Every structure is written in C-alpha cells, then in structure tokens.
Amino acid sequence: MVMLSSLETLPRRQPATVAAIDWTQLALPEARRLRELGFDEGVGVEVLHRATLGGGPIACRIGRMTVALRRRVAASIRVAPGV
C-alpha cells in the first residue's frame, strides 16, 4: 500500500506523483488555476523551496515549470512518493 501525504508536507527535492486533489477544499479560482497549470492525477511534482515563515508559500516544480502555491492549496494536493 502506498503512503500518501500532502504536497504541503512533502520533503524538499523528493520527487512525487499527484495521487489526488481535493477540489472541494479549493475556491473556484484556485481550482481553475491549478488545472491551468497542469495539476492533475499522475503528474510529477517536487517541492523546491518553502518560505522561511511557517505560513508562506511553497515553490514547487511541475513538469518544467516552477510555481508558488499557498500552503492551504498545497494541503489539498495528495501525493505519492516517486515519479
């Protein structure tokens, strides 16, 4: 059985695959933005950097793009280790 975690808690530089996104936790504009950026099940993702303040954004790589996500948004994305 694969252990899922949230993108918010994924260790830096650990490749992972998006397993699920809880769209109900997101406002419509946030969900639309994630879809436009290519976030979907099966997509590879990696956390690159976290803001030094606990509530700041998380920079992550999806494909060849680097995007910043609010921690609340990252918490709604479930990931599985490995790509």
Side-chain angles (χ1 to χ4, degrees):
M1 182 171 172
V2 177
M3 292 297 296
L4 298 181
S5 63
S6 73
L7 182 59
E8 178 187 25
T9 61
L10 184 70
R12 287 182 56 219
R13 302 289 182 185
Q14 178 180 324
T17 303
V18 175
I21 300 173
D22 186 352
W23 300 108
T24 62
Q25 288 186 352
L26 303 171
L28 187 58
E30 293 169 330
R32 186 178 309 122
R33 178 174 178 254
L34 283 185
R35 287 186 179 105
E36 289 171 352
L37 291 172
F39 278 89
D40 205 356
E41 292 179 13
V43 173
V45 68
E46 177 182 8
V47 172
L48 301 176
H49 183 73
R50 286 185 173 82
T52 50
L53 298 176
I58 296 173
C60 63
R61 177 176 293 135
I62 176 168
R64 295 186 310 177
M65 289 187 301
T66 301
V67 297
L69 298 174
R70 291 182 177 101
R71 289 192 186 243
R72 185 178 52 74
V73 172
S76 70
I77 302 171
R78 308 302 291 172
V79 295
V83 175

